[in-house]
Amino acid sequence: MKSLIIILSIIVLFTSLNYSQKTVELDNIMKPDSIFIENKFIYVTEGAIINVYSLKDLKFIRKFGKLGEGPEEFKITSYGGTGLYLDILSDKILVSSVGKLSFFNLEGKFIKEMKTPFSFFGNRYLSIKNGFVGLGSSVSGRNNFIALDLYSPKLKKIKEIKKWESPFQPGKGTKVFETANILEVIDEDRIISTFGNELTLDFYDKNGKKTNSVSHEYKKVKVTESLKKEVIKYFKTSPATKNVYQFIKPVKFPEYLPAVRSLIVKNNKIYVITFKTKNEETELYIFDKNGKLLSK
């Protein structure tokens, strides 16, 4: 298999942010979907396959997973955005895919799997003390919803923390950039969530009770006409969406992009990347674990 040359931006997070970048050639990858870096390993997902590399020397270690519904296999549906999602803990990896939550050790050796309800837009589960927290979708009448839910260790739903309308509603089209919800866990017993185009961090305890919200000043970024054209082109030409474009149109755009593009919790700090860019650089906020702004 041909190798793919990519840029790996490796962020070393200690008391300060030290940023280094190098160009490396990773073997065994053709079309990567996502990259996770944790516990001295790099995990690159590609469809239903997870490739494992050493963070120290960037050498390929092994790959695991394949398309299917049996043990050590994953079912994915690209049209719903349900690629693989990894939650990497100190001693194991949780892999969310369609209909199951799978457990592996850090090098990709299979441990067990748990069945989960089917969700068109996919379920994403994160480990939290005494259970899991997850994002999933549901249908009520003719409307689709996405919910933030709390689960027991056996993945039994305990509590719905909050729910909102899905960006896709049958016969009504698809809203893009409208309701981005970012979810992370800190200290194993607190949940951080962001929602919409305000830079607000919502904190919940391990029981799903909202403890506080922290808001910060943020200049909203408008959705430009050129961005709209790029999104429409993607929907029409991407292998993941072109065959279902007739079902998801019309595509509807908000006036502004969501405030948060991605959020990472590392070493008792919260790193928030926004959609704001300037001279090929991207805006990054750094907060302490309670939401106090440290730097930008």
Side-chain angles (χ1 to χ4, degrees):
M1 181 180 289
K2 294 180 180 178
S3 58
L4 174 75
I5 297 177
I6 64 174
I7 299 293
L8 267 185
S9 298
I10 301 174
I11 301 177
V12 183
L13 306 175
F14 294 103
T15 54
S16 61
L17 184 67
N18 301 305
Y19 179 85
S20 62
Q21 178 174 288
K22 62 168 68 176
T23 302
V24 298
E25 183 174 323
L26 296 183
D27 295 326
N28 303 301
I29 304 173
M30 293 295 290
K31 297 179 179 179
D33 295 319
S34 56
I35 297 177
F36 301 82
I37 302 176
E38 192 68 62
N39 295 330
K40 301 180 181 179
F41 296 100
I42 301 173
Y43 304 91
V44 183
T45 69
E46 182 178 23
I49 298 173
I50 301 172
N51 297 276
V52 186
Y53 299 84
S54 166
L55 181 58
K56 181 179 180 180
D57 54 19
L58 306 175
K59 289 185 178 180
F60 176 77
I61 297 175
R62 70 187 305 265
K63 65 180 178 180
F64 63 98
K66 64 178 180 178
L67 196 61
E69 299 187 32
E72 303 184 59
E73 297 177 343
F74 307 117
K75 182 179 178 182
I76 58 175
T77 54
S78 298
Y79 57 82
T82 52
L84 301 180
Y85 183 82
L86 277 57
D87 182 21
I88 306 170
L89 308 178
S90 60
D91 60 344
K92 58 182 173 287
I93 306 168
L94 278 60
V95 182
S96 297
S97 61
V98 175
K100 71 170 70 174
L101 178 63
S102 305
F103 296 75
F104 297 83
N105 72 10
L106 296 179
E107 293 190 357
K109 300 290 185 180
F110 179 72
I111 300 173
K112 67 176 182 177
E113 66 180 26
M114 303 171 70
K115 300 298 183 183
T116 64
F118 171 80
S119 171
F120 180 84
F121 285 98
N123 289 320
R124 173 186 168 187
Y125 298 96
L126 296 176
S127 176
I128 192 168
K129 195 171 291 183
N130 300 326
F132 304 93
V133 61
L135 287 174
S137 61
S138 61
V139 178
S140 179
R142 295 185 177 182
N143 294 325
N144 289 336
F145 292 90
I146 298 177
L148 175 62
D149 297 318
L150 199 65
Y151 298 87
S152 73
K154 294 185 177 182
L155 273 181
K156 180 180 179 181
K157 183 177 173 181
I158 298 173
K159 179 180 180 180
E160 181 180 278
I161 299 174
K162 64 179 178 179
K163 181 172 73 173
W164 60 98
E165 280 198 351
S166 166
F168 169 71
Q169 299 294 334
K172 299 179 182 179
T174 303
K175 296 179 181 179
V176 295
F177 305 127
E178 185 71 16
T179 52
N181 190 291
I182 310 296
L183 174 67
E184 275 292 348
V185 171
I186 188 168
D187 294 337
E188 297 184 358
D189 61 358
R190 288 197 300 152
I191 303 162
I192 305 174
S193 177
T194 69
F195 188 85
N197 54 23
E198 300 294 337
L199 186 50
T200 299
L201 304 179
D202 294 324
F203 293 84
Y204 301 84
D205 64 19
K206 63 181 180 180
N207 298 313
K209 180 181 178 181
K210 190 173 183 178
T211 55
N212 66 303
S213 291
V214 180
S215 297
H216 294 273
E217 184 178 349
Y218 173 74
K219 186 177 180 179
K220 299 177 183 178
V221 179
K222 280 197 170 186
V223 177
T224 63
E225 291 302 317
S226 61
L227 179 56
K228 292 179 183 179
K229 291 178 180 178
E230 288 180 25
V231 172
I232 296 295
K233 181 180 179 181
Y234 171 84
F235 277 124
K236 289 182 175 180
T237 60
S238 169
T241 55
K242 66 180 182 181
N243 293 328
V244 295
Y245 179 67
Q246 294 300 319
F247 300 99
I248 63 178
K249 69 177 187 180
V251 178
K252 303 176 182 179
F253 297 89
E255 184 177 359
Y256 297 99
L257 290 167
V260 179
R261 185 169 189 167
S262 63
L263 182 152
I264 298 170
V265 175
K266 185 74 173 179
N267 293 347
N268 290 320
K269 291 187 178 67
I270 304 168
Y271 298 85
V272 173
I273 298 174
T274 76
F275 280 90
K276 185 177 180 180
T277 60
K278 183 178 181 181
N279 298 327
E280 298 184 350
E281 293 184 337
T282 303
E283 186 177 58
L284 170 69
Y285 286 78
I286 305 176
F287 305 95
D288 71 10
K289 65 179 183 179
N290 297 312
K292 179 183 178 182
L293 182 63
L294 300 177
S295 61
K296 183 175 72 169

